[in-house]
Amino acid sequence: MRQIVLDTETTGIRVDDGHRMIEIGCVEMINRKPTGKHFHRYFNPEREVEAGALAVHGLSNDFLNDKPLFASVAEELMAFLTGAELIIHNAPFDLSFLNHEFYLTRKGWKPITHYCQVIDTLVMARERHVGQRNSLDALCKRYNIDNSKREMHGALLDAHLLLKVYLAMTGGQSSFFDAFSEATPAQSEQAAAVANVVLSNYQIKVVAASAEELAAHEDYIA
């Protein structure tokens, strides 16, 4: 299975307001393992970056002025993406900009979902962590992923972080009380009461891992 974790940065929030994509970062996985391949580009958006967006990603107009237009790399990007399953946090946002940029090339590209399947990790996180914060930073904290280098948003850095978050969300066992990891004191007390009831109804048998299982675990961690 070929998957690509994708993130973008833009001049503003809404395509409908004339905003454009200024950075894309894509990281490839095959069978849930990063391959080391990535696609990363900055673009000249042919318009000003809004102050609010600049505060988020720090990509200034001066920095972007000498960067290529999206149209010049559209075919290369589409070749990289086609056939993969895209993993995106808040997919409607990124896809709206990506589809718009392909549309502006006037090359007859169809929406990206015609070429790729899409997983929205924000939807996934909201289903798993109901009522909690599910931003990328919040998920990094919840899954003990180091995001200390994320002083500002950046498409490639965020794609790498999202890759780790996705693997953690889909590959590990979550705690029975994950829903209370950001709970109020009253909620924590309720969780403890539930735990006592649950555990009192079961005779817990501990089964030690075999030498073969321990070796397989070490290989997996490596």
Side-chain angles (χ1 to χ4, degrees):
M1 179 182 4
R2 182 170 181 261
Q3 296 173 302
I4 292 175
V5 187
L6 182 152
D7 188 63
T8 66
E9 300 298 340
T10 65
T11 62
I13 298 296
R14 288 166 44 88
V15 166
D16 292 344
D17 294 333
H19 286 293
R20 302 285 301 276
M21 187 167 69
I22 56 176
E23 183 187 10
I24 188 167
C26 307
V27 182
E28 182 186 68
M29 287 193 295
I30 293 181
N31 296 329
R32 294 177 57 84
K33 294 184 179 180
T35 65
K37 292 183 180 179
H38 68 268
F39 187 100
H40 180 226
R41 297 288 191 281
Y42 296 103
F43 306 110
N44 181 341
E46 302 180 284
R47 60 152 293 153
E48 296 291 300
V49 178
E50 274 194 351
L54 179 62
V56 170
H57 51 61
L59 300 177
S60 67
N61 298 304
D62 288 342
F63 174 78
L64 297 168
N65 279 340
D66 64 348
K67 301 303 182 286
L69 302 181
F70 178 88
S72 68
V73 299
E75 291 191 13
E76 183 184 0
L77 174 59
M78 184 59 82
F80 186 78
L81 298 179
T82 297
E85 183 176 66
L86 304 185
I87 299 168
I88 309 173
H89 201 64
N90 191 16
F93 175 85
D94 296 272
L95 293 181
S96 68
F97 279 92
L98 195 56
N99 286 331
H100 186 60
E101 293 295 341
F102 278 114
Y103 169 76
L104 291 177
T105 66
R106 301 296 191 265
K107 298 290 186 179
W109 297 106
K110 297 178 181 179
I112 197 69
T113 50
H114 180 82
Y115 309 99
C116 308
Q117 294 182 331
V118 177
I119 292 177
D120 190 336
T121 51
L122 180 58
V123 172
M124 182 185 297
R126 285 172 173 168
E127 292 173 348
R128 290 170 182 248
H129 309 291
V130 178
Q132 300 183 55
R133 294 175 61 248
N134 289 300
S135 66
L136 184 56
D137 281 334
L139 291 170
C140 285
K141 180 179 180 181
R142 187 170 299 135
Y143 289 104
N144 297 314
I145 295 167
D146 181 11
N147 64 341
S148 57
K149 295 181 179 179
R150 194 184 188 231
E151 296 179 2
M152 304 195 85
H153 290 216
L156 187 60
L157 172 60
D158 288 359
H160 278 289
L161 290 174
L162 183 58
L163 181 150
K164 295 178 182 179
V165 165
Y166 172 77
L167 291 178
M169 279 203 296
T170 59
Q173 291 179 316
S174 59
S175 165
F176 182 80
F177 294 110
D178 271 353
F180 294 93
S181 61
E182 297 177 8
T184 65
Q187 289 172 325
S188 297
E189 187 175 334
Q190 178 186 359
V194 172
N196 288 333
V197 171
V198 171
L199 296 178
S200 66
N201 289 329
Y202 290 90
Q203 295 295 323
I204 298 176
K205 182 179 179 181
V206 178
V207 180
S210 67
E212 182 180 355
E213 289 168 335
L214 289 172
H217 175 71
E218 291 300 324
D219 287 343
Y220 175 78
I221 296 300

